[in-house]
Amino acid sequence: MSKKILVLDDNRDILDIVNEVLSYENFEVRTTSTSTNILQMARDYSPDLMILDYLLSDGNGGEICKQIKADKTLSHIPVIIFSAYINRNVDYPSFGCEAVIPKPFDLNELVDQVNNLIAQN
């Protein structure tokens, strides 16, 4: 059975690339460009891993990660945060994420991080 990944990014091009790469790696991928109802989407989809963009047009991936980790039905899900703002003194671990990948990102690094986190979970 394929492992499921839920990806939130407001950039459609990034969603398309991540979807293509992870689908090629035999993951079942669901993407969304809006943070509206993301927690309910996660509950309904039951992903094995979530990838969140840090800076969204309608929210903040760090704050969404905190909500995921505070929710007893979702807190076990590993979270990767994508960010183009790595050097802006943001304390990413304080959000509870398991990994941070800087944008632009290397596709091999993304696949490696996803495989490592899913294997640990």
Side-chain angles (χ1 to χ4, degrees):
M1 179 185 254
S2 295
K3 296 290 186 173
K4 298 189 288 189
I5 301 173
L6 179 58
V7 184
L8 167 62
D9 198 304
D10 54 5
N11 182 319
R12 179 52 57 194
D13 292 334
I14 289 175
L15 286 179
D16 290 346
I17 290 167
V18 170
N19 184 25
E20 186 174 325
V21 167
L22 294 177
S23 294
Y24 179 79
E25 295 290 328
N26 295 315
F27 292 105
E28 181 183 320
V29 182
R30 183 167 296 170
T31 62
T32 182
S33 60
T34 177
S35 64
T36 306
N37 299 321
I38 189 69
L39 296 181
Q40 189 58 51
M41 185 182 297
R43 286 185 201 101
D44 294 343
Y45 185 55
S46 298
D48 296 288
L49 181 128
M50 292 179 69
I51 301 173
L52 308 172
D53 185 18
Y54 177 69
L55 192 58
L56 300 158
S57 58
D58 66 345
N60 178 290
E63 294 304 316
I64 293 168
C65 183
K66 279 184 178 177
Q67 293 172 22
I68 291 165
K69 296 303 181 177
D71 185 305
K72 57 183 138 174
T73 62
L74 303 175
S75 62
H76 67 283
I77 300 170
V79 176
I80 296 173
I81 292 180
F82 279 152
S83 181
Y85 303 96
I86 294 297
N87 298 324
R88 294 227 178 143
N89 297 324
V90 176
D91 183 15
Y92 292 97
S94 72
F95 300 125
C97 62
E98 282 70 19
V100 179
I101 297 179
K103 287 182 181 178
F105 54 91
D106 179 272
L107 294 176
N108 291 322
E109 178 187 357
L110 171 66
V111 171
D112 288 347
Q113 282 281 14
V114 167
N115 282 322
N116 289 338
L117 289 173
I118 286 182
Q120 292 173 20
N121 202 19

